[in-house]
Amino acid sequence: MTVGFRIRPITTRVDPALVARAAKLPVANIGDVMNRLQALSGTFHSFGGKKRLCGPAFTVKARSGDNLMLHHAVDAALPGDIIVADGNGDLTVGLMGDLMLGHATKRRIGGVIVDGAVRDIPQLAKMDLGVWARGHTPAGPFKDGPGEIGYAVSCGGQVVMPGDLICCDEDGVVVVPMADAERVIADAEKHQAKEIQAEKEIQAGTWPREWVLASLKDKGCEGA
């Protein structure tokens, strides 16, 4: 097996029941209960027509400017999978465009996360597909390889393992390690319930604010 040019089947994925529960929650709340350390960097933007999705990670590592492995990923990923592509953050070449992503839509792929650039932006916005990427450019890619599928990748400053839970909305993307997904989603549901209560208190004018001044004083803020 050649490191850097290899394919390994992804046989384990996060429980679909957890995916369904996560899909009901704001991505920010899921990130909050992981100590705010599992979000992709804020440079990622939503380009597809679908603005909210959750699903298991189908990991791909590509050489800068080359999308041969991404072509195979679109053919090999299962319906509902989210292709997570490590494109080294390179914004000089668009790794995916309307043809590849149209094919992904036809195959019912859940979405695509590209640590790099995409292109054909007007067409992507009309697709029933979630697409998040660092940026966009009209420049096209090569198709020579190498690359990897089914191994750990780096995307937006996060390590993503095959099968991890990926959650996306217009705020961005968070990664939930598969082994921790049950606890994280349960915690996020509780967190969401607290936020719903806080919203009611805000509307009623009863949202507690005493803690702000108390915290300033506790931290030694002059004049508090």
Side-chain angles (χ1 to χ4, degrees):
M1 187 175 293
T2 304
V3 174
F5 202 20
R6 56 188 179 176
I7 296 170
R8 182 168 64 184
I10 298 175
T11 58
T12 304
R13 289 169 168 81
V14 64
D15 186 342
L18 291 176
V19 174
R21 288 167 60 187
K24 300 176 182 178
L25 300 169
V27 165
N29 285 358
I30 298 172
D32 282 352
V33 300
M34 294 186 290
N35 287 292
R36 300 170 169 86
L37 291 177
Q38 288 296 116
L40 270 59
S41 61
T43 54
F44 280 74
H45 303 283
S46 171
F47 294 101
K50 187 176 289 186
K51 301 298 183 182
R52 182 177 181 80
L53 66 131
C54 296
F58 188 97
T59 55
V60 188
K61 186 173 185 178
R63 180 169 64 89
S64 294
D66 192 286
N67 72 356
L68 177 60
M69 277 298 186
L70 278 165
H71 270 281
H72 183 67
V74 174
D75 290 337
L78 299 182
D81 281 353
I82 298 179
I83 294 173
V84 180
D86 176 1
N88 301 297
D90 186 353
L91 299 181
T92 61
V93 172
L95 289 180
M96 303 184 84
D98 61 343
L99 296 181
M100 289 179 70
L101 293 169
H103 179 47
T105 303
K106 188 70 174 179
R107 295 204 65 252
R108 297 186 291 122
I109 302 302
V112 176
I113 316 296
V114 180
D115 196 340
V118 293
R119 65 178 189 172
D120 306 320
I121 302 308
Q123 293 88 341
L124 268 55
K126 298 175 184 178
M127 291 182 179
D128 186 27
L129 183 74
V131 180
W132 280 260
R134 281 193 186 269
H136 57 90
T137 175
F142 296 96
K143 297 170 176 60
D144 300 314
E148 294 187 340
I149 286 176
Y151 292 85
V153 298
S154 173
C155 187
Q158 298 295 333
V159 174
V160 183
M161 300 295 294
D164 280 351
L165 175 59
I166 306 297
C167 300
C168 322
D169 64 16
E170 290 181 291
D171 276 343
V173 183
V174 297
V175 181
V176 183
M178 182 165 39
D180 301 312
E182 176 72 51
R183 177 171 55 85
V184 168
I185 297 308
D187 288 346
E189 289 168 339
K190 295 174 184 176
H191 187 59
Q192 172 65 353
K194 291 179 181 178
E195 291 212 343
I196 292 172
Q197 178 60 32
E199 289 171 1
K200 293 178 180 178
E201 292 172 353
I202 289 171
Q203 295 304 315
T206 60
W207 195 32
R209 307 302 296 156
E210 297 83 0
W211 67 270
V212 179
L213 189 59
S215 180
L216 289 170
K217 291 179 178 178
D218 184 63
K219 295 177 186 299
C221 176
E222 185 176 345

